[in-house]
Amino acid sequence: MTNPLYDRMLAGLKDQDRTFLTLADGSTLSGAAFHALAARQAGALAEAGLEPGDRVAVQVAKSPEALAIYAACVMSGVVLLPLNTAYTAAELEYFINDAKAGAVICDPAAQAEVSRIVGANGAQVMTLDKTGQGSFRTAWEAQPDTFAPVARKADDLAALLYTSGTTGRSKGAMLSQTNLISNAETLVDLWRFGPDDVLLHMLPIFHTHGLFVATNVILAAGASMIFLPAFDTAEALRLLPQSTSMMGVPTFYTRLLGDPAFGRDHVANMRVFISGSAPLLAETHVAFEERTGHRILERYGMTETNMNTSNPYDGERRAGTVGFPLPDVELKITDPESSATLPQGEVGIIEVRGPNVFQGYWNMPEKTAEELRDDGFFITGDLGQMDPDGYIQIVGRQKDLIITGGLNVYPKEIEMVLDDMPGVLESAVIGVPHPDFGEAVVGVLVADGDGPDMEAVQTAAAAQLAKFKQPKALRLLPELPRNTMGKVQKQKLRADFADLFSGS
Ligand code: AMP
C-alpha cells in the first residue's frame, strides 16, 4: 500500500532520533517522537469515525501538537481543513457546514459555541489548547504510537484550504498529495535545503505559507525547525544565531529592521531569508541588505497553487520582483479581455499551469470553471509583467484584495458589514500603505440621514470581524467617487488616503 505524501514527507521521521522541532524554551522533539505523536492522533481520528476523504476542521493555536494534526491527516487519509485562529464563531459556521466537516478540533474556550454550530449535523467536537491539552489529547493518548498509513493515490485530496471570497464567500481550494509533494521537492532543490538546515518558523500554520511551504520543505529535506508560536522581534533576534534559514511575510522583515539592535551578528549563521505572501517593498530589500549583507529571496505563490515563481538562489535576487517561474511551472501573462498571451513587458493577468495547481474549488464547479481553464492554466487574478530578463513583477491585484500583515482581506466582505450599520448609506473599503502591516484596512463611509456614530461602527465591526479585517481607520465622505459606469473609483480613494498612516 502506498501513500505518496506519507512516503515522501513523513516515513523518514519514524526512526529519526535527531531533533525535528525545537521550541521556544529550548525543549526538543525528535523526528521519531513527532511521528509517534502523529500516529496516535491518526488513531484518534479513525476512532472518531473519520474515514479517508472525510474533512477535519482545525482551529487551534500553533503548537507541535497542532502541526502533528497535519501529519495525522496524511497517515489516516483525512482531509485537513485548517482555519485562521482569528475567525469568529459566525465565520467558522460557514466553513464547517460548507466542507461538511466530520470533526472539528478547536480551542476549549470555543467548544460550547462550536458544538452549537455543528448542532444536528453530527460532527464530533474535540479540543486542543495552546499547551497541547484538551479532549483530543485524551483521545490520542488512548491510541498506540504506530499507525499503518492508509493507501492514497497521488491525486487524492490532502487538504482543503479556504481562500477569502470576493463576495464574502470563501472558496475551498482542493489540494492533492501531488500538488504538495511536487512543490516541496522543487523548492528544496531551488533553495538548497538539506538535513543540516534549521528553519526559524514564526508563521501561522493555518495558511499555506507556514503550513505547506515551510513545513513541507523542511520535511522533504529531512531538516529541522525552531518552532515559535508567532513572530516576535526579540525572540527572532535571540534565535536567529541558531538558525540557517527563515521564511516570513514582509512585515517580519520591516519589524526586524525596526529594531536598531538587529545587525550582522544575528545573521552570521544564516544561509537564506525568504519572503512572500505580500509584496516586499524594494526599499525593505535594500535596507535589509545594507544592515545584514543578505539579499532577501522573494517568491510568489497562493493558496490555490502553492509557489509559482521564485528569485534565484545563486543568480541576482532582484528587488521588486518575484523572480522566475519555478522549473515545472508554466507561466503566461494574458489579456484580461481576450485571454491572448501578451508580449513581454505588457501588464496582464498571470496564469499558471503545473503539478502545483490545485484540483478546483470545493463544491463550486462554476467558480472552478471560471478560474481553471480546461487546458490546466489557472487564472490567478494577479496582474503582472515580465521584465526583459524574464523576472516577473506583480503590479497589482485584479480584484481589490487587501493584504494586511500577510493576510488577505477582501473589501466586499467588510463593506457588507459596514453598509448594515445605522447611519451608513454605503461604504468602500480600501487598503492603504502602512509601515508595519504593509497595508491597512480603511473604511470610507457615506452618511445616511444624520450619519453614523463612528465609534459605534468601529465597536460593531469588532464584534463581527476577525481583528485583522477590522478597519484601522474610518472616514466620512459626502459621496463616493464613481466612473461613468457607476463603478466606485477605488484607485482615487487609495490615492486620497495614501498618507493616512505614513507618520505612524
Ligand atoms: P494567499 O492565497 O493567501 O496565499 O494569497 C495569495 C496572493 O498573495 C497572491 O495571489 C498575490 O496577490 C499575493 N502575493 C503572494 N506573494 C506575493 C509577492 N511576493 N508579491 C506580491 N504579492 C504576493
Side-chain angles (χ1 to χ4, degrees), residues 27 29 67 107 148 173 194 213 232 282 308 393 441 444 464 483 489:
S27 61
L29 206 66
L67 186 70
D107 191 88
V213 189
D232 178 273
N308 294 316
Q393 269 175 302
V441 177
V444 182
Q464 291 183 49
N483 69 12
Q489 292 171 301

Side-chain angles (χ1 to χ4, degrees), residues 162-164 207-209 250 275-280 298-304 307 321-322 380-382 394 396-397 401 403 406-408 410:
Y162 277 81
T163 65
S164 307
H207 183 270
T208 189
H209 194 166
S275 176
S277 288
L280 182 79
E298 186 172 5
R299 92 304 179 277
Y300 154 68
M302 56 204 310
T303 301
E304 290 94 330
M307 297 305 97
T321 82
V322 293
T380 64
D382 287 313
I394 314 278
R397 283 143 283 170
L401 175 73
I403 302 183
L407 295 170
N408 289 356
Y410 279 92

Side-chain angles (χ1 to χ4, degrees), residues 12-30:
L13 292 177
K14 195 165 183 220
D15 302 310
Q16 183 184 303
D17 293 334
R18 286 193 319 133
T19 296
F20 172 54
L21 297 178
T22 302
L23 308 185
D25 63 3
S27 61
T28 60
L29 206 66
S30 69

Side-chain angles (χ1 to χ4, degrees), residues 56-91:
V56 60
V58 180
Q59 190 195 38
V60 296
K62 185 179 173 185
S63 68
E65 290 81 2
L67 186 70
I69 299 175
Y70 164 43
C73 284
V74 177
M75 291 178 181
S76 60
V78 172
V79 176
L80 175 65
L81 193 184
L83 291 168
N84 191 327
T85 44
Y87 284 142
T88 63
E91 288 165 316

Side-chain angles (χ1 to χ4, degrees), residues 33 42-43 89 170 231 235 243 255 265 274 286-287 298 313 378 407 412 427 461:
S170 291
F231 178 82
E235 282 290 87
S243 314
R255 289 197 179 166
D265 288 349
I274 299 170
V286 172
E298 186 172 5
Y313 188 81
F378 175 59
L407 295 170
K412 188 78 195 162
S427 66

Side-chain angles (χ1 to χ4, degrees), residues 142-161:
Q143 295 295 320
D145 64 2
T146 55
F147 185 93
V150 304
R152 294 268 85 190
K153 294 195 297 295
D155 59 0
D156 279 335
L157 291 195
L160 193 55
L161 248 57

